[in-house]
Structure formats: C-alpha cells, structure tokens
Amino acid sequence: ETYGVLCCTELECDLLMWSHYAQQHEGFVMELDLTHSFFAKRLHRVLYSPDRPVYRHRDQDPTIYLTKSRLWEDEREWRALECLANCEQLKVSTSRSPITIYRRAYPKEAVRRIICGCRMAVEDKQRLQLNLPRWGFPECRLEQLSLNRRTYDFQSSELPFALRTRGDGEEA
C-alpha cells in the first residue's frame, strides 16, 4: 500500500526468468543502463537469506522488501523501491476486473535495448519497431530472442528488417 518495487536481474537469457516474468516468452525485457544517475541511489542488490525478515508495522524501514529466500538466489536480482505517492496512477481494465497500476517516470536514455520474447506476436514486434522512435527511444536497440536448437540456451539478435515493413514495402 505504500511502496512500489522495480525488480531487475543481471540475467537477460534465463529460461525460468522468461517463463515467470515475461508472459511465457510473449513479453519483452528492457535492458537499462544502471550506471545512469537516476538509478544510482535507488537500486539495491537483493539479499538472499535463510531467515524471513520480520514485518512489524507499515511504516518500518522499506529495506525489508530487499530480502528473499536463498531459493531465489539464481535470479541475481536488484530492486528499487518507490513511494507510491510519487507515482502516476493508471486504471487498467483486465479480463478479471479493473486494476490500478502505479508508474514512475524514468529517463528514456537509460533504456539501452529491448529484447522481444521468442513467442511474442509479430504484430507486437512491428508495433515496437514503428513506435520506439516516436516514443523518444531512437537509440534503443530492438532484438529478438530465439531458442538454440541443440541446447536450452537462448540467443538474441537484431530483429529482421522484414518486420519493419509490410509485404508491400510500406511501414507497418
């Protein structure tokens, strides 16, 4: 009710991370420049502990949200906490019921690239390709994740040019 959490990982191509956090590989991952001054005092490495932190009351130190079980250690997670009072509230309709999403502005130049999941719809990739420059991300690289045919590894590569245009050569 008080804080929002931005969760980041050092891993861009981890099978479990893509399955859990990117809608079964249909979503995307943003690579952020974490050396940007915006993140300098906000981002903290998650502590992995065998002991659960004790929650005493709502107004306590928010760093309690920076501790997870050692079972999650492979995620190599970093988190930024933000007071929800500093965020913009958006009402979003879902299939279940309307929800409130809290959004905090961040510097667009801190977004280095976007990696599309291997199951992302072609239309969504086209929409990203067309709109990233319009949204103020002209230098952001757009890549596609694909599965290695022999191992369970991923590889990322720049999106093919064919996605940038329709079959008739016009912009999508």
Side-chain angles (χ1 to χ4, degrees):
E1 295 175 12
T2 305
Y3 295 99
V5 181
L6 168 67
C7 300
C8 301
T9 179
E10 297 173 10
L11 310 170
E12 70 181 49
C13 294
D14 181 88
L15 183 65
L16 289 176
M17 297 294 280
W18 275 92
S19 296
H20 293 168
Y21 302 115
Q23 293 183 311
Q24 301 293 321
H25 308 267
E26 293 176 359
F28 63 88
V29 166
M30 293 173 39
E31 178 183 325
L32 302 172
D33 176 3
L34 300 181
T35 64
H36 191 283
S37 61
F38 178 81
F39 296 107
K41 293 183 181 177
R42 283 184 167 86
L43 212 56
H44 306 277
R45 185 182 294 274
V46 166
L47 299 164
Y48 298 99
S49 171
D51 302 316
R52 183 185 300 271
V54 177
Y55 181 83
R56 291 193 170 74
H57 56 81
R58 198 167 101 182
D59 297 326
Q60 75 178 39
D61 180 3
T63 57
I64 188 171
Y65 303 112
L66 299 175
T67 304
K68 289 177 80 170
S69 165
R70 282 194 177 150
L71 293 171
W72 299 99
E73 209 162 14
D74 289 344
E75 287 188 346
R76 295 169 39 194
E77 186 177 347
W78 291 71
R79 290 184 176 176
L81 303 173
E82 188 69 49
C83 183
L84 294 178
N86 297 333
C87 298
E88 176 186 4
Q89 288 187 36
L90 304 171
K91 300 290 184 189
V92 178
S93 297
T94 68
S95 58
R96 293 186 196 134
S97 62
I99 60 171
T100 301
I101 294 177
Y102 293 87
R103 181 171 66 180
R104 174 70 160 98
Y106 55 88
K108 292 181 178 184
E109 66 271 12
V111 180
R112 290 183 174 169
R113 68 180 169 148
I114 293 176
I115 306 169
C116 300
C118 57
R119 295 181 58 214
M120 180 183 259
V122 172
E123 298 80 22
D124 292 336
K125 293 180 222 175
Q126 288 172 331
R127 193 173 304 116
L128 281 170
Q129 283 183 317
L130 179 64
N131 289 306
L132 280 174
R134 292 180 188 174
W135 294 333
F137 298 95
E139 302 300 318
C140 181
R141 293 191 332 262
L142 189 58
E143 296 182 4
Q144 166 70 54
L145 202 65
S146 59
L147 293 171
N148 185 305
R149 293 181 185 261
R150 296 184 180 180
T151 69
Y152 289 106
D153 296 325
F154 288 111
Q155 55 230 18
S156 63
S157 58
E158 189 173 349
L159 278 174
F161 179 75
L163 285 178
R164 298 176 194 211
T165 60
R166 286 191 236 154
D168 59 5
E170 292 187 25
E171 282 195 355

